[in-house]
Amino acid sequence: MTRLALFSLRKSITALALLLPLLFISRALSPRAVIDGSDIFLTWLPLSVVMAMTLIFGRVVILPLLIALALFFTVVFQLPALQMWVFIFCLLGPLILACALLRVFLGSRWRFRPLGKGLGARLFWFGFVTPSSMKLTMYFSGQWIDFPAQLTHYFGHSSTLFIIVDMLGMTAAGLIFTFLFYYPLRMMLSLAYARAFLRSELFLSFTAARRGWAIGWLAMLAMLLLTLCWPTHTILISGYLVPLIFIVFTIGIRHFGVRTTHFLWAFSTWLLLTLSENFLYGVRTSTALTFILSVFISFTVCLLYMSNLYCKSVWARQIYYAQAMTDPLTQLPNLRALEQHVVGYPGGVLCCLRMANLEFWSQHYGMALRIYCKRKVTQLLAPWLHDGERVFQLPGSELLIFLRGPEPQQRLSHMVDLLNSRNISWNGDSLDIEFGAAWGSALHLTPDEMHRMLGQLGWLAHQACSEHRVAALNDCEEAVSDVTSERVQLLRQIKAAVENDRFTLYAQPIHNREGQGYSEILCRMFDDKGAMIVPDKFIPIVAEFNLSARFDMQVLKKLLGWLRLHPAACRSARFSVNLMPFTLMQKEAGRDIVALFERYGVAPQTVIIEVTEAQALSDVETSLQNIALLRGSGFRIAIDDFGTGYANYKRLRDLRADIIKIDGCFITEILTNSLDAQIVKSICDLAHARGWEVIAEYVETPEQRDLLLSFGVDFLQGWLIGKPEPLVR
């Protein structure tokens, strides 16, 4: 015998062992009433047992049902063989057919979670069609076969009202009372189900936040049932307090799950029908009894649907809450989740982990790389995190780590060392990302204080990144606070300067050996008190806070206004303007610049556009398209800071430019460093081979000038040639 056959046999024996006592016990517990002088079951609970066992065991229970029902009918009714098997067929035939249809409609796992998905189909076939079909089969069987006198009322030889009450009782048995047996039996047969039931249904209802409401509701239900079932024999209770039971259970939907609510409702209904003499005191007519059974059945359907809808709304609310606490791209908890987490663990520390060159790699490989790197770093850190410690998403190139316990700096240093010792692979390439971190205590932080602290940690982590180290905010909080406050103030001043045109254009000459040429436009900003903000301070802020495009367009407008007021006869270059890297990454930047020149009536040939080597040689399609558009519109393109980027011979071969500016780092020591001299000479040879003009920056001595001219440099720029002077109107 196979293992599957043994398993089925064991289940069949278990089902038979349960059915034999349950059928007799359930019959004894079935509520009764007297209609038309005949004793009738208001609901026949053996049918509930049969349906509950079918849901639990499935097709395996068919043979045990046949045996158990045959023994049951033989003992209780002493039926002849024909009548007994007809009775059994009337019960099991419609039930088996309904189960087969539900399997077709809902799939092979239709028996599991009977109050979950497909609730409407289960209620229709199992709660209404099956009992109705049973009654209909019994009615037609009674027309052809004679049954004992005690059963003739159930097989059609009775009044219409009796038949209606009996059918309603069978419907109540399938719809209401099946789960009065299903849940206890399922928990008895499976400890795993019992634990899951208690955890999902009861433990959640008795959490600290909900315990008071749950206990209060149960106490209210118990008092109401006691009042309705107590033999007071007064019409005031039976006539006017009955609707309260529906109100109480409608309220209970908010405190308990679907299964617990249905089980309590089934028990309450059984109690009320069993003690119907008190519950229905004054209700003497069979019509009223029929109406009450109909109301119970109707409310059961409403209760199940309301419970399901409420549970789905709670589930949806939990999903929305989880989504609100999660970054949609990285799927990491966000700052809102951090605020909640800090409340739950007030004694931890906040650690800002910065990836120094992630921004650079993101510009070349796109946002997908940034997301992948953050997820990968989180995976690498996961084994080192203890209970209550998590990684949170921060904008930009940073992650936030919440740590608990002693020695946070040592643990964080170990994590940083681990990350710096590994490379991250992306599409076959190995990315060398540099990590640094800073940490500070999160004890008793308000949300405002926490966000201020995150700004300080971000600045400190940026400083620590250059040395691959970990810095402690607590050791230098005052200094960091001063610096971050200064940066915020500086940002305000720079934004105000850009918006209110508080900056002046300077021009520094760029001349050839004959002293002819053009000038590079430089910018000097001023704060609200008139003090100058030097480029070393405002340019990083402009780039970091996405003010590049706005700033460059303001500079161009100011320059074009000057050119319109000071027209020249020739159309040769008069000025060069350096565009910041993020400007050319704006999709419409090239068209906006061309449109601006057309609006001011200035020829593009009068202004040279300077871009950095990284922009000209990058793989960012938008930047390359903007450069091509500007060049095609008549602008000459100069490559600034040439020699300091990541150029290779293939990229230099494909480079589209007119001028290259050798970075000053190769010029300052050209007289004493032979390697610098060789580099400059090779750049000049390469440029002339391509037909490019060469400009050398930082020329400060006649000796430098003479050597550079001998190498073939076309234009010179530096203090020897001329210092920047204001562009006077």
Side-chain angles (χ1 to χ4, degrees):
M1 186 177 291
T2 64
R3 182 179 300 179
L4 182 60
L6 285 173
F7 180 69
S8 298
L9 179 61
R10 187 164 58 249
K11 287 179 67 176
S12 297
I13 294 172
T14 303
L16 183 60
L18 290 172
L19 276 167
L20 289 173
L22 283 174
L23 288 174
F24 291 95
I25 294 172
S26 59
R27 184 175 185 274
L29 294 176
S30 298
R32 297 168 180 258
V34 177
I35 297 180
D36 297 337
S38 300
D39 186 39
I40 186 174
F41 288 104
L42 289 178
T43 184
W44 196 55
L45 292 183
L47 177 59
S48 305
V49 172
V50 170
M51 289 185 164
M53 295 294 286
T54 304
L55 287 174
I56 294 173
F57 290 97
R59 72 183 73 176
V60 176
V61 83
I62 295 177
L63 181 58
L65 277 175
L66 291 172
I67 297 172
L69 287 173
L71 292 173
F72 176 69
F73 290 147
T74 300
V75 173
V76 175
F77 302 114
Q78 291 86 39
L79 290 175
L82 177 62
Q83 285 85 343
M84 178 185 69
W85 289 111
V86 169
F87 199 170
I88 293 174
F89 171 77
C90 292
L91 294 177
L92 296 187
L95 179 62
I96 293 173
L97 179 61
C99 292
L101 291 172
L102 282 171
R103 182 184 174 87
V104 172
F105 294 145
L106 302 180
S108 60
R109 296 181 60 84
W110 70 273
R111 295 183 294 112
F112 303 98
R113 294 184 60 83
L115 296 181
K117 185 179 179 181
L119 176 64
R122 290 185 175 91
L123 292 181
F124 178 74
W125 291 103
F126 224 59
F128 290 100
V129 174
T130 299
S132 301
S133 301
M134 288 178 180
K135 188 60 186 177
L136 191 64
T137 308
M138 292 170 67
Y139 178 83
F140 284 111
S141 299
Q143 305 303 312
W144 296 93
I145 300 174
D146 293 329
F147 283 87
Q150 59 180 334
L151 294 178
T152 54
H153 295 295
Y154 297 100
F155 284 84
H157 299 285
S158 60
S159 65
T160 303
L161 190 59
F162 188 100
I163 295 174
I164 293 174
V165 172
D166 187 39
M167 189 173 69
L168 290 174
M170 295 181 71
T171 303
L175 192 64
I176 304 175
F177 299 109
T178 296
F179 296 96
L180 193 62
F181 297 95
Y182 175 83
Y183 295 126
L185 287 173
R186 186 85 186 272
M187 286 189 282
M188 184 178 69
L189 293 170
S190 172
L191 291 178
Y193 181 83
R195 286 193 296 268
F197 184 92
L198 293 174
R199 183 173 59 252
S200 63
E201 294 288 329
L202 295 182
F203 291 163
L204 292 179
S205 300
F206 287 91
T207 58
R210 305 173 65 180
R211 188 180 300 125
W213 284 99
I215 294 174
W217 184 85
L218 289 172
M220 181 168 55
L221 176 62
M223 290 176 59
L224 183 59
L225 289 175
L226 184 64
T227 303
L228 289 173
C229 296
W230 193 262
T232 54
H233 301 292
T234 171
I235 193 65
L236 293 176
I237 292 177
S238 62
Y240 297 98
L241 289 186
V242 173
L244 289 179
I245 197 74
F246 305 122
I247 297 173
V248 168
F249 271 94
T250 303
I251 296 172
I253 291 171
R254 297 176 57 87
H255 305 297
F256 297 94
V258 178
R259 293 176 291 184
T260 303
T261 304
H262 193 201
F263 180 80
L264 291 174
W265 167 247
F267 177 77
S268 301
T269 306
W270 171 80
L271 196 63
L272 292 173
L273 292 178
T274 302
L275 301 174
S276 59
E277 183 181 350
N278 306 308
F279 164 57
L280 301 177
Y281 179 77
V283 181
R284 301 297 184 184
T285 65
S286 302
T287 306
L289 185 61
T290 304
F291 176 75
I292 289 171
L293 284 174
S294 301
V295 169
F296 278 167
I297 292 170
S298 301
F299 182 73
T300 301
V301 175
C302 295
L303 184 69
L304 289 173
Y305 272 105
M306 286 190 295
S307 298
N308 268 284
L309 288 174
Y310 181 76
C311 288
K312 286 181 180 179
S313 69
V314 171
W315 175 73
R317 190 161 60 245
Q318 291 172 345
I319 290 178
Y320 298 151
Y321 181 81
Q323 290 176 342
M325 298 289 177
T326 305
D327 179 73
L329 296 177
T330 62
Q331 294 301 305
L332 295 175
N334 57 19
L335 289 179
R336 184 175 295 179
L338 173 65
E339 293 176 1
Q340 299 293 327
H341 195 76
V342 171
V343 172
Y345 300 95
V349 297
L350 296 178
C351 311
C352 182
L353 178 69
R354 181 172 178 81
M355 293 160 268
N357 48 353
L358 182 60
E359 190 68 40
F360 170 79
W361 292 115
S362 298
Q363 291 176 8
H364 287 272
Y365 292 104
M367 182 62 69
L369 170 70
R370 186 193 301 270
I371 297 168
Y372 173 79
C373 285
K374 290 196 170 187
R375 288 179 177 174
K376 186 66 176 178
V377 169
T378 303
Q379 291 175 4
L380 292 173
L381 293 177
W384 302 94
L385 299 180
H386 301 158
D387 181 49
E389 299 180 341
R390 298 182 72 183
V391 178
F392 295 86
Q393 156 71 359
L394 283 179
S397 304
E398 296 169 339
L399 288 171
L400 194 72
I401 309 171
F402 182 85
L403 297 179
R404 302 170 63 207
E407 300 182 346
Q409 181 153 349
Q410 287 78 359
R411 292 185 60 203
L412 187 59
S413 297
H414 182 76
M415 294 178 187
V416 171
D417 292 340
L418 171 71
L419 294 172
N420 280 314
S421 66
R422 299 191 180 186
N423 290 341
I424 294 178
S425 297
W426 171 258
N427 292 337
D429 294 334
S430 182
L431 309 181
D432 185 14
I433 297 179
E434 301 170 353
F435 294 88
W439 68 277
S441 174
L443 187 63
H444 304 309
L445 280 180
T446 64
D448 290 340
E449 291 171 341
M450 185 181 70
H451 286 283
R452 178 174 172 271
M453 180 180 176
L454 292 180
Q456 296 174 346
L457 287 174
W459 182 88
L460 198 58
H462 178 74
Q463 305 304 312
C465 225
S466 58
E467 302 178 13
H468 299 182
R469 65 184 180 89
V470 172
L473 176 63
N474 298 350
D475 297 338
C476 52
E477 185 169 0
E478 185 175 349
V480 172
S481 180
D482 291 342
V483 173
T484 52
S485 299
E486 180 186 347
R487 282 170 60 80
V488 172
Q489 183 64 23
L490 185 59
L491 174 61
R492 291 174 183 164
Q493 295 286 358
I494 291 170
K495 289 180 71 174
V498 173
E499 292 171 358
N500 301 320
D501 197 20
R502 286 206 305 263
F503 59 89
T504 301
L505 299 184
Y506 281 64
Q508 185 176 23
I510 301 175
H511 289 170
N512 58 17
R513 66 174 64 240
E514 287 82 21
Q516 299 176 347
Y518 57 94
S519 298
E520 179 181 359
I521 294 298
L522 306 175
C523 182
R524 301 293 183 266
M525 280 190 180
F526 299 90
D527 61 21
D528 50 7
K529 296 181 181 178
M532 181 182 291
I533 307 174
V534 296
D536 289 346
K537 283 192 173 183
F538 74 73
I539 287 179
I541 298 293
V542 167
E544 183 176 353
F545 291 95
N546 199 25
L547 298 172
S548 302
R550 213 148 133 215
F551 171 73
D552 284 341
M553 295 303 286
Q554 288 287 80
V555 170
L556 283 173
K557 286 179 183 178
K558 200 155 193 168
L559 175 61
L560 291 175
W562 188 93
L563 287 171
R564 187 163 60 180
L565 293 175
H566 302 81
C570 64
R571 294 170 62 89
S572 60
R574 300 178 64 186
F575 297 101
S576 67
V577 176
N578 200 321
L579 296 183
M580 300 184 73
F582 286 109
T583 299
L584 289 176
M585 293 177 69
Q586 308 295 319
K587 190 172 183 180
E588 301 296 328
R591 293 177 183 173
D592 291 343
I593 292 172
V594 173
L596 193 63
F597 273 74
E598 291 175 352
R599 192 195 321 159
Y600 279 85
V602 177
Q605 292 78 7
T606 60
V607 175
I608 296 171
I609 300 295
E610 294 188 14
V611 300
T612 64
E613 180 185 351
Q615 285 176 280
L617 298 174
S618 73
D619 294 326
V620 180
E621 186 177 353
T622 304
S623 293
L624 297 178
Q625 287 177 349
N626 280 323
I627 292 173
L629 176 63
L630 292 172
R631 199 160 184 263
S633 300
F635 292 95
R636 298 179 71 196
I637 302 297
I639 309 301
D640 197 14
D641 301 330
F642 189 85
T644 60
Y646 297 87
N648 55 45
Y649 287 110
K650 180 180 181 302
R651 287 181 169 182
L652 288 175
R653 183 193 66 189
D654 300 332
L655 179 63
R656 298 290 180 264
D658 304 288
I659 303 166
I660 58 173
K661 297 181 71 174
I662 302 174
D663 190 82
C665 67
F666 299 111
I667 308 300
T668 53
E669 298 181 5
I670 193 171
L671 298 174
T672 58
N673 191 324
S674 59
L675 183 58
D676 284 349
Q678 271 189 316
I679 291 173
V680 171
K681 178 78 165 61
S682 65
I683 291 175
C684 291
D685 293 341
L686 174 65
H688 292 151
R690 291 296 312 274
W692 301 333
E693 294 179 347
V694 181
I695 300 173
E697 299 179 304
Y698 287 80
V699 181
E700 298 179 351
T701 66
E703 291 79 12
Q704 290 175 331
R705 176 194 59 195
D706 295 340
L707 182 60
L708 290 167
L709 291 175
S710 69
F711 287 161
V713 172
D714 300 294
F715 291 88
L716 304 172
Q717 180 180 3
W719 280 24
L720 178 67
I721 310 304
K723 296 182 179 180
E725 298 291 340
L727 193 64
V728 181
R729 285 192 175 272

